[in-house]
Amino acid sequence: MQVNEESMKPVLNRLKRAQGQLAAVIAMVESGRECEDVVTQLAAVSRALDRAGFKIVAGGMRQCLVDGSENPPMTQDKLEKLFLALA
């Protein structure tokens, strides 16, 4: 499954934001910040990555349903495995 470039822009923005958040978490750990603060920011990174993954899968589903391209349609089993990989 390939997702078109237009639908990847928001995904890339989310991933870049998560990358910045992760760098901040690393800096927090290195500077000895409170555990609660680190875990809170780490949870935010995790949510950002999950949302990016779901957006990729949803875009691929939309493309598979709408697009009559040469790519074979995605099976229900394959879609389930992608969603479960993000769970």
Side-chain angles (χ1 to χ4, degrees):
M1 167 181 69
Q2 284 193 319
V3 182
N4 68 33
E5 188 176 323
E6 185 65 29
S7 64
M8 290 305 290
K9 287 180 184 178
V11 172
L12 286 172
N13 287 340
R14 284 183 190 272
L15 291 173
K16 288 176 183 179
R17 189 174 317 126
Q19 183 179 31
Q21 288 174 313
L22 184 56
V25 170
I26 291 168
M28 291 171 75
V29 171
E30 290 175 340
S31 68
R33 292 280 300 269
E34 292 291 325
C35 181
E36 184 178 356
D37 296 337
V38 172
V39 171
T40 299
Q41 288 305 311
L42 197 54
V45 173
S46 179
R47 282 191 305 273
L49 292 174
D50 287 344
R51 288 181 179 172
F54 283 122
K55 193 153 190 70
I56 289 170
V57 173
M61 284 177 46
R62 189 177 312 108
Q63 189 173 350
C64 286
L65 293 173
V66 174
D67 187 16
S69 71
E70 68 280 353
N71 295 330
M74 185 163 291
T75 65
Q76 181 176 347
D77 287 342
K78 200 169 186 179
L79 285 171
E80 285 178 19
K81 284 180 183 179
L82 286 173
F83 275 112
L84 290 174
L86 293 170

Coordinates of all heavy atoms in Angstrom, one line a residue:
M1 N 0.8 -1.2 0.0 CA 0.0 0.0 0.0 C 0.9 1.2 0.0 O 1.8 1.4 0.8 CB -0.9 0.0 1.3 CG -1.6 1.3 1.5 SD -2.6 1.3 3.0 CE -1.4 1.2 4.3
Q2 N 0.7 2.1 -0.9 CA 1.4 3.4 -1.0 C 0.4 4.5 -0.8 O -0.7 4.4 -1.3 CB 2.1 3.6 -2.3 CG 3.4 2.7 -2.4 CD 4.2 3.2 -3.5 OE1 3.7 3.5 -4.6 NE2 5.5 3.2 -3.3
V3 N 0.7 5.5 0.0 CA -0.1 6.6 0.3 C 0.4 7.8 -0.5 O 1.5 8.0 -0.7 CB -0.1 7.0 1.8 CG1 -1.0 8.1 2.1 CG2 -0.4 5.7 2.6
N4 N -0.6 8.5 -1.1 CA -0.2 9.6 -2.0 C 0.5 10.8 -1.2 O 0.3 10.9 0.0 CB -1.4 10.1 -2.8 CG -2.4 10.8 -2.0 OD1 -2.1 11.5 -1.0 ND2 -3.7 10.7 -2.4
E5 N 1.2 11.5 -2.0 CA 2.1 12.6 -1.4 C 1.2 13.6 -0.6 O 1.6 14.1 0.4 CB 2.9 13.3 -2.5 CG 3.9 14.3 -2.0 CD 4.7 14.8 -3.1 OE1 5.1 14.1 -4.0 OE2 5.1 16.0 -3.0
E6 N 0.1 14.0 -1.1 CA -0.8 15.0 -0.5 C -1.2 14.6 0.9 O -1.2 15.4 1.8 CB -2.0 15.3 -1.4 CG -2.9 16.4 -0.9 CD -2.2 17.7 -0.9 OE1 -1.3 17.9 -1.8 OE2 -2.6 18.6 -0.1
S7 N -1.5 13.3 1.1 CA -2.0 12.9 2.4 C -0.8 12.6 3.3 O -1.0 12.5 4.5 CB -2.8 11.6 2.3 OG -2.1 10.5 1.7
M8 N 0.4 12.6 2.8 CA 1.6 12.4 3.6 C 2.1 13.7 4.3 O 2.8 13.6 5.3 CB 2.7 11.8 2.8 CG 2.5 10.4 2.4 SD 2.1 9.3 3.8 CE 3.7 9.2 4.6
K9 N 1.7 14.9 3.8 CA 2.1 16.1 4.4 C 1.7 16.2 5.9 O 2.6 16.5 6.7 CB 1.6 17.3 3.6 CG 2.3 17.5 2.3 CD 1.7 18.7 1.5 CE 2.4 18.7 0.1 NZ 1.9 19.8 -0.7
P10 N 0.5 16.0 6.2 CA 0.1 16.1 7.7 C 0.8 15.0 8.5 O 1.2 15.3 9.6 CB -1.4 15.9 7.7 CG -1.9 16.0 6.3 CD -0.7 15.8 5.4
V11 N 1.1 13.9 7.9 CA 1.8 12.8 8.6 C 3.2 13.2 8.9 O 3.7 13.0 10.0 CB 1.7 11.5 7.8 CG1 2.6 10.4 8.4 CG2 0.3 11.0 7.7
L12 N 3.9 13.8 7.9 CA 5.2 14.2 8.1 C 5.3 15.3 9.1 O 6.2 15.4 9.9 CB 5.8 14.7 6.7 CG 6.2 13.6 5.8 CD1 6.6 14.2 4.4 CD2 7.3 12.8 6.3
N13 N 4.3 16.2 9.1 CA 4.3 17.3 10.2 C 4.2 16.7 11.6 O 4.9 17.1 12.5 CB 3.1 18.2 9.9 CG 3.4 19.1 8.8 OD1 4.5 19.3 8.3 ND2 2.3 19.7 8.2
R14 N 3.3 15.6 11.7 CA 3.2 15.0 13.0 C 4.5 14.3 13.4 O 4.9 14.3 14.6 CB 2.1 13.9 12.9 CG 0.7 14.5 13.0 CD -0.3 13.3 13.0 NE -1.7 13.8 12.8 CZ -2.5 14.2 13.8 NH1 -2.0 14.2 15.0 NH2 -3.7 14.6 13.5
L15 N 5.1 13.6 12.5 CA 6.4 12.9 12.8 C 7.5 13.9 13.1 O 8.3 13.6 14.1 CB 6.8 12.1 11.6 CG 5.9 10.8 11.3 CD1 6.3 10.2 10.0 CD2 5.9 9.9 12.5
K16 N 7.5 15.0 12.5 CA 8.6 16.0 12.8 C 8.3 16.6 14.2 O 9.3 16.9 14.9 CB 8.6 17.1 11.7 CG 9.2 16.6 10.4 CD 9.2 17.7 9.3 CE 9.7 17.1 8.0 NZ 9.7 18.1 6.9
R17 N 7.0 16.8 14.5 CA 6.7 17.3 15.8 C 7.1 16.3 16.9 O 7.7 16.6 17.9 CB 5.2 17.6 15.9 CG 4.8 18.4 17.2 CD 3.3 18.8 17.2 NE 2.9 19.3 15.9 CZ 1.8 18.9 15.2 NH1 1.1 17.9 15.7 NH2 1.5 19.5 14.1
A18 N 6.8 15.0 16.6 CA 7.2 14.0 17.5 C 8.7 13.9 17.7 O 9.2 13.6 18.8 CB 6.6 12.6 17.1
Q19 N 9.4 14.1 16.6 CA 10.9 14.0 16.7 C 11.4 15.1 17.6 O 12.3 14.9 18.4 CB 11.4 14.2 15.3 CG 12.9 14.2 15.2 CD 13.4 14.3 13.7 OE1 12.8 15.0 12.9 NE2 14.5 13.7 13.4
G20 N 10.8 16.3 17.5 CA 11.2 17.4 18.4 C 10.8 17.1 19.8 O 11.6 17.4 20.8
Q21 N 9.6 16.5 20.0 CA 9.2 16.2 21.4 C 10.2 15.1 22.0 O 10.5 15.2 23.2 CB 7.8 15.6 21.4 CG 6.7 16.7 21.2 CD 5.4 16.0 21.0 OE1 5.2 15.1 20.3 NE2 4.4 16.6 21.7
L22 N 10.6 14.1 21.2 CA 11.5 13.1 21.6 C 12.8 13.7 22.0 O 13.4 13.3 23.0 CB 11.6 12.0 20.6 CG 12.5 10.8 21.0 CD1 12.0 10.2 22.3 CD2 12.6 9.8 19.9
A23 N 13.3 14.6 21.2 CA 14.6 15.3 21.5 C 14.5 16.0 22.9 O 15.4 16.0 23.7 CB 15.0 16.3 20.4
A24 N 13.3 16.6 23.1 CA 13.1 17.3 24.4 C 13.1 16.3 25.6 O 13.6 16.6 26.6 CB 11.8 18.1 24.4
V25 N 12.5 15.1 25.3 CA 12.4 14.1 26.4 C 13.9 13.6 26.7 O 14.2 13.5 27.9 CB 11.6 12.9 26.0 CG1 11.7 11.7 26.9 CG2 10.1 13.3 25.9
I26 N 14.7 13.4 25.7 CA 16.1 13.0 25.9 C 16.8 14.1 26.7 O 17.5 13.8 27.7 CB 16.7 12.7 24.5 CG1 16.1 11.5 23.9 CG2 18.3 12.6 24.7 CD1 16.5 11.3 22.4
A27 N 16.6 15.3 26.4 CA 17.2 16.4 27.1 C 16.8 16.5 28.5 O 17.6 16.7 29.5 CB 17.0 17.7 26.4
M28 N 15.5 16.2 28.7 CA 14.9 16.2 30.1 C 15.6 15.1 30.9 O 15.9 15.3 32.1 CB 13.4 15.9 30.1 CG 12.6 17.1 29.5 SD 10.9 16.7 29.3 CE 10.3 16.7 30.9
V29 N 15.8 13.9 30.4 CA 16.4 12.8 31.1 C 17.8 13.1 31.4 O 18.3 12.9 32.5 CB 16.3 11.5 30.3 CG1 17.1 10.3 30.9 CG2 14.8 11.0 30.1
E30 N 18.5 13.6 30.4 CA 20.0 14.0 30.6 C 20.1 15.0 31.6 O 21.2 15.1 32.3 CB 20.6 14.4 29.2 CG 20.7 13.3 28.2 CD 21.2 13.8 26.9 OE1 21.1 15.0 26.6 OE2 21.7 12.9 26.1
S31 N 19.2 16.0 31.8 CA 19.3 17.0 32.8 C 18.7 16.6 34.1 O 18.7 17.4 35.1 CB 18.7 18.3 32.3 OG 17.3 18.2 32.2
G32 N 18.2 15.4 34.2 CA 17.7 15.0 35.5 C 16.4 15.5 35.9 O 16.1 15.6 37.1
R33 N 15.5 15.8 35.0 CA 14.2 16.3 35.3 C 13.3 15.3 36.0 O 13.6 14.1 36.0 CB 13.4 16.7 34.0 CG 14.0 17.9 33.3 CD 13.6 19.2 33.9 NE 12.1 19.4 33.9 CZ 11.5 20.0 32.9 NH1 12.1 20.4 31.8 NH2 10.1 20.1 33.0
E34 N 12.3 15.7 36.7 CA 11.4 14.9 37.4 C 10.8 13.8 36.6 O 10.4 14.0 35.4 CB 10.2 15.7 38.0 CG 10.7 16.7 39.1 CD 11.2 15.9 40.4 OE1 10.6 14.9 40.7 OE2 12.1 16.4 41.0
C35 N 10.6 12.6 37.1 CA 10.1 11.4 36.4 C 8.7 11.7 35.8 O 8.4 11.4 34.7 CB 10.0 10.3 37.4 SG 9.5 8.7 36.7
E36 N 7.9 12.4 36.6 CA 6.5 12.7 36.2 C 6.5 13.5 34.9 O 5.8 13.3 33.9 CB 5.7 13.4 37.3 CG 4.3 13.6 36.9 CD 3.5 14.3 38.1 OE1 4.1 14.5 39.1 OE2 2.3 14.6 37.8
D37 N 7.4 14.5 34.9 CA 7.5 15.4 33.7 C 8.0 14.6 32.5 O 7.5 14.8 31.4 CB 8.5 16.6 33.9 CG 8.0 17.5 35.0 OD1 6.8 17.5 35.3 OD2 8.9 18.2 35.6
V38 N 9.0 13.8 32.7 CA 9.5 13.0 31.6 C 8.5 12.0 31.0 O 8.3 11.9 29.8 CB 10.8 12.2 32.0 CG1 11.2 11.2 30.9 CG2 11.9 13.1 32.4
V39 N 7.8 11.3 31.9 CA 6.7 10.4 31.4 C 5.6 11.1 30.7 O 5.1 10.6 29.7 CB 6.2 9.5 32.6 CG1 5.0 8.7 32.2 CG2 7.3 8.7 33.2
T40 N 5.2 12.3 31.2 CA 4.2 13.0 30.6 C 4.5 13.4 29.1 O 3.8 13.2 28.2 CB 3.8 14.3 31.3 OG1 3.4 14.0 32.7 CG2 2.8 15.2 30.7
Q41 N 5.8 13.8 28.9 CA 6.2 14.2 27.6 C 6.4 13.0 26.7 O 6.2 13.0 25.5 CB 7.5 15.0 27.7 CG 7.3 16.4 28.2 CD 6.3 17.1 27.4 OE1 6.3 17.2 26.1 NE2 5.3 17.7 28.0
L42 N 6.9 11.9 27.3 CA 7.0 10.6 26.6 C 5.7 10.1 26.1 O 5.6 9.6 25.0 CB 7.7 9.6 27.4 CG 8.3 8.4 26.8 CD1 9.3 8.8 25.7 CD2 9.0 7.5 27.8
A43 N 4.7 10.2 26.9 CA 3.3 9.9 26.5 C 2.8 10.7 25.3 O 2.2 10.2 24.4 CB 2.3 10.0 27.7
A44 N 3.2 12.0 25.3 CA 2.8 12.9 24.2 C 3.5 12.4 22.9 O 2.9 12.4 21.8 CB 3.2 14.3 24.5
V45 N 4.7 12.0 23.0 CA 5.5 11.5 21.8 C 4.8 10.2 21.3 O 4.6 10.1 20.1 CB 6.9 11.2 22.2 CG1 7.6 10.5 21.0 CG2 7.7 12.5 22.5
S46 N 4.4 9.4 22.2 CA 3.8 8.1 21.9 C 2.5 8.3 21.1 O 2.2 7.7 20.1 CB 3.6 7.2 23.1 OG 3.0 6.0 22.8
R47 N 1.7 9.3 21.7 CA 0.4 9.6 21.0 C 0.6 10.2 19.6 O -0.1 9.9 18.7 CB -0.4 10.6 21.9 CG -1.1 9.9 23.1 CD -2.1 10.8 23.8 NE -1.5 12.1 24.2 CZ -0.9 12.3 25.3 NH1 -0.8 11.3 26.2 NH2 -0.4 13.5 25.6
A48 N 1.6 11.0 19.5 CA 1.9 11.6 18.2 C 2.3 10.6 17.2 O 1.8 10.6 16.0 CB 3.0 12.7 18.3
L49 N 3.1 9.6 17.6 CA 3.5 8.5 16.7 C 2.3 7.7 16.3 O 2.1 7.3 15.2 CB 4.6 7.7 17.3 CG 5.9 8.4 17.5 CD1 6.9 7.5 18.2 CD2 6.5 8.8 16.1
D50 N 1.4 7.3 17.3 CA 0.2 6.5 17.1 C -0.7 7.2 16.1 O -1.2 6.6 15.1 CB -0.5 6.3 18.4 CG 0.2 5.3 19.3 OD1 1.1 4.6 18.8 OD2 -0.2 5.2 20.5
R51 N -0.9 8.5 16.3 CA -1.8 9.3 15.3 C -1.2 9.3 13.9 O -1.9 9.2 13.0 CB -2.0 10.7 15.9 CG -2.9 10.7 17.1 CD -3.2 12.0 17.6 NE -4.1 12.0 18.7 CZ -4.4 13.0 19.5 NH1 -3.9 14.2 19.3 NH2 -5.2 12.8 20.5
A52 N 0.1 9.4 13.8 CA 0.7 9.4 12.5 C 0.5 8.1 11.8 O 0.1 8.0 10.7 CB 2.2 9.7 12.6
G53 N 0.7 7.0 12.6 CA 0.5 5.6 12.1 C -1.0 5.4 11.6 O -1.2 4.9 10.6
F54 N -1.9 5.8 12.5 CA -3.3 5.7 12.1 C -3.7 6.5 10.9 O -4.5 6.1 10.0 CB -4.2 6.1 13.3 CG -4.3 5.0 14.3 CD1 -4.0 5.3 15.6 CD2 -4.7 3.7 14.0 CE1 -4.0 4.3 16.6 CE2 -4.8 2.7 15.0 CZ -4.4 3.0 16.3
K55 N -3.1 7.7 10.8 CA -3.4 8.5 9.6 C -2.8 7.9 8.3 O -3.5 7.9 7.3 CB -2.7 9.9 9.8 CG -3.2 10.9 8.8 CD -3.1 12.3 9.4 CE -3.8 13.3 8.6 NZ -5.2 13.3 8.5
I56 N -1.7 7.2 8.4 CA -1.1 6.5 7.3 C -2.1 5.4 6.9 O -2.4 5.2 5.7 CB 0.3 6.0 7.6 CG1 1.3 7.1 7.6 CG2 0.7 5.0 6.5 CD1 2.6 6.7 8.2
V57 N -2.5 4.6 7.9 CA -3.4 3.4 7.6 C -4.7 3.9 7.0 O -5.2 3.4 6.0 CB -3.6 2.6 8.8 CG1 -4.7 1.5 8.6 CG2 -2.3 1.9 9.3
A58 N -5.3 5.0 7.6 CA -6.6 5.5 7.1 C -6.4 6.0 5.7 O -7.3 5.8 4.9 CB -7.1 6.6 8.1
G59 N -5.4 6.7 5.4 CA -5.1 7.2 4.1 C -5.0 6.1 3.1 O -5.5 6.1 2.0
G60 N -4.3 5.0 3.5 CA -4.2 3.9 2.6 C -5.5 3.2 2.4 O -5.8 2.7 1.3
M61 N -6.3 3.1 3.4 CA -7.7 2.5 3.3 C -8.5 3.3 2.3 O -9.1 2.8 1.4 CB -8.4 2.4 4.6 CG -7.9 1.3 5.5 SD -8.7 1.3 7.2 CE -10.4 1.5 6.8
R62 N -8.5 4.6 2.5 CA -9.2 5.5 1.6 C -8.8 5.3 0.2 O -9.6 5.2 -0.7 CB -9.1 7.0 2.1 CG -10.0 7.9 1.3 CD -9.9 9.3 1.9 NE -9.9 9.4 3.3 CZ -8.8 9.7 4.1 NH1 -7.7 10.0 3.5 NH2 -8.9 9.8 5.4
Q63 N -7.5 5.3 0.0 CA -6.9 5.1 -1.4 C -7.3 3.8 -1.9 O -7.7 3.7 -3.1 CB -5.4 5.3 -1.3 CG -4.8 5.3 -2.7 CD -3.3 5.7 -2.6 OE1 -2.8 6.0 -1.5 NE2 -2.6 5.6 -3.7
C64 N -7.3 2.7 -1.1 CA -7.6 1.4 -1.6 C -9.1 1.3 -2.0 O -9.5 0.7 -3.0 CB -7.4 0.3 -0.5 SG -5.6 -0.1 -0.3
L65 N -10.0 2.0 -1.3 CA -11.4 2.0 -1.5 C -11.8 2.8 -2.7 O -12.6 2.5 -3.5 CB -12.2 2.5 -0.3 CG -12.1 1.6 0.9 CD1 -12.8 2.2 2.1 CD2 -12.8 0.2 0.6
V66 N -11.1 3.9 -2.9 CA -11.4 4.9 -4.0 C -10.6 4.6 -5.2 O -11.2 4.7 -6.3 CB -11.2 6.3 -3.5 CG1 -11.4 7.3 -4.6 CG2 -12.1 6.7 -2.3
D67 N -9.4 4.3 -5.1 CA -8.5 4.2 -6.2 C -8.6 2.8 -6.9 O -8.5 1.8 -6.3 CB -7.0 4.3 -5.7 CG -6.0 4.4 -6.8 OD1 -6.4 4.6 -8.0 OD2 -4.8 4.2 -6.5
G68 N -8.9 2.8 -8.1 CA -8.9 1.6 -8.9 C -7.6 1.3 -9.6 O -7.6 1.0 -10.8
S69 N -6.5 1.6 -8.9 CA -5.2 1.5 -9.5 C -4.8 0.0 -9.8 O -5.5 -0.9 -9.5 CB -4.1 2.1 -8.7 OG -3.9 1.4 -7.5
E70 N -3.6 -0.2 -10.3 CA -3.1 -1.5 -10.5 C -2.7 -2.2 -9.3 O -2.4 -3.4 -9.3 CB -1.9 -1.4 -11.5 CG -0.6 -0.8 -10.9 CD -0.7 0.8 -10.9 OE1 -1.6 1.3 -11.5 OE2 0.2 1.4 -10.3
N71 N -2.6 -1.5 -8.2 CA -2.2 -2.2 -6.9 C -3.4 -3.1 -6.4 O -4.5 -2.7 -6.5 CB -1.9 -1.1 -5.8 CG -0.7 -0.3 -6.1 OD1 0.2 -0.8 -6.8 ND2 -0.7 0.9 -5.7
P72 N -3.1 -4.3 -6.0 CA -4.1 -5.1 -5.5 C -4.8 -4.5 -4.3 O -4.1 -3.9 -3.5 CB -3.4 -6.4 -5.2 CG -2.0 -6.1 -5.0 CD -1.8 -4.9 -5.8
P73 N -6.1 -4.7 -4.1 CA -6.8 -4.2 -2.9 C -6.3 -4.8 -1.7 O -5.8 -6.0 -1.7 CB -8.3 -4.6 -3.2 CG -8.3 -5.6 -4.1 CD -7.0 -5.5 -4.9
M74 N -6.3 -4.1 -0.6 CA -5.8 -4.6 0.7 C -6.9 -5.5 1.3 O -8.0 -5.1 1.3 CB -5.5 -3.4 1.6 CG -4.9 -3.9 2.9 SD -4.1 -2.6 3.8 CE -2.7 -2.3 2.7
T75 N -6.5 -6.6 1.8 CA -7.4 -7.6 2.4 C -7.8 -7.1 3.8 O -7.0 -6.3 4.4 CB -6.8 -9.0 2.5 OG1 -5.7 -9.0 3.4 CG2 -6.4 -9.5 1.1
Q76 N -8.9 -7.6 4.3 CA -9.3 -7.3 5.7 C -8.2 -7.7 6.7 O -7.9 -7.0 7.6 CB -10.6 -7.9 6.0 CG -11.1 -7.6 7.4 CD -12.5 -8.1 7.6 OE1 -13.2 -8.5 6.7 NE2 -12.9 -8.1 8.9
D77 N -7.7 -8.9 6.5 CA -6.6 -9.4 7.4 C -5.4 -8.5 7.4 O -4.9 -8.3 8.5 CB -6.2 -10.8 6.9 CG -7.2 -11.9 7.2 OD1 -8.1 -11.7 8.0 OD2 -7.1 -13.0 6.6
K78 N -5.0 -8.0 6.3 CA -3.9 -7.1 6.2 C -4.2 -5.8 6.9 O -3.3 -5.3 7.7 CB -3.5 -6.9 4.8 CG -2.1 -6.4 4.6 CD -1.7 -6.4 3.1 CE -0.3 -6.1 2.9 NZ 0.1 -6.1 1.5
L79 N -5.4 -5.3 6.7 CA -5.8 -4.0 7.4 C -5.8 -4.3 8.9 O -5.3 -3.4 9.7 CB -7.1 -3.5 6.9 CG -7.1 -2.9 5.6 CD1 -8.6 -2.7 5.1 CD2 -6.3 -1.6 5.6
E80 N -6.3 -5.4 9.4 CA -6.4 -5.7 10.8 C -5.0 -5.8 11.4 O -4.7 -5.2 12.5 CB -7.1 -7.0 11.0 CG -8.6 -6.9 10.9 CD -9.3 -8.2 11.1 OE1 -8.7 -9.2 11.7 OE2 -10.5 -8.3 10.7
K81 N -4.1 -6.4 10.7 CA -2.7 -6.5 11.2 C -2.0 -5.1 11.3 O -1.3 -4.8 12.3 CB -1.9 -7.4 10.2 CG -2.1 -8.8 10.4 CD -1.3 -9.7 9.5 CE -1.6 -11.1 9.6 NZ -0.9 -12.0 8.7
L82 N -2.3 -4.2 10.3 CA -1.8 -2.9 10.4 C -2.3 -2.1 11.7 O -1.6 -1.5 12.4 CB -2.1 -2.1 9.2 CG -1.3 -2.5 7.9 CD1 -1.8 -1.7 6.7 CD2 0.2 -2.1 8.1
F83 N -3.6 -2.2 11.9 CA -4.2 -1.6 13.0 C -3.7 -2.2 14.3 O -3.4 -1.4 15.3 CB -5.8 -1.6 13.0 CG -6.4 -0.6 12.2 CD1 -7.0 -0.9 11.0 CD2 -6.3 0.8 12.6 CE1 -7.6 0.2 10.3 CE2 -6.9 1.8 11.9 CZ -7.6 1.5 10.7
L84 N -3.6 -3.5 14.4 CA -3.1 -4.1 15.6 C -1.6 -3.8 15.9 O -1.2 -3.7 17.0 CB -3.3 -5.6 15.5 CG -4.8 -6.1 15.6 CD1 -4.9 -7.6 15.4 CD2 -5.4 -5.7 17.0
A85 N -0.9 -3.5 14.8 CA 0.5 -3.2 15.0 C 0.6 -1.8 15.7 O 1.6 -1.6 16.4 CB 1.2 -3.1 13.7
L86 N -0.4 -1.0 15.6 CA -0.4 0.3 16.3 C -1.0 0.3 17.7 O -0.9 1.2 18.4 CB -1.2 1.3 15.4 CG -0.5 1.7 14.1 CD1 -1.5 2.5 13.2 CD2 0.8 2.4 14.3
A87 N -1.6 -0.8 18.0 CA -2.3 -0.9 19.3 C -1.3 -1.2 20.4 O -0.3 -1.7 20.3 CB -3.4 -2.0 19.3

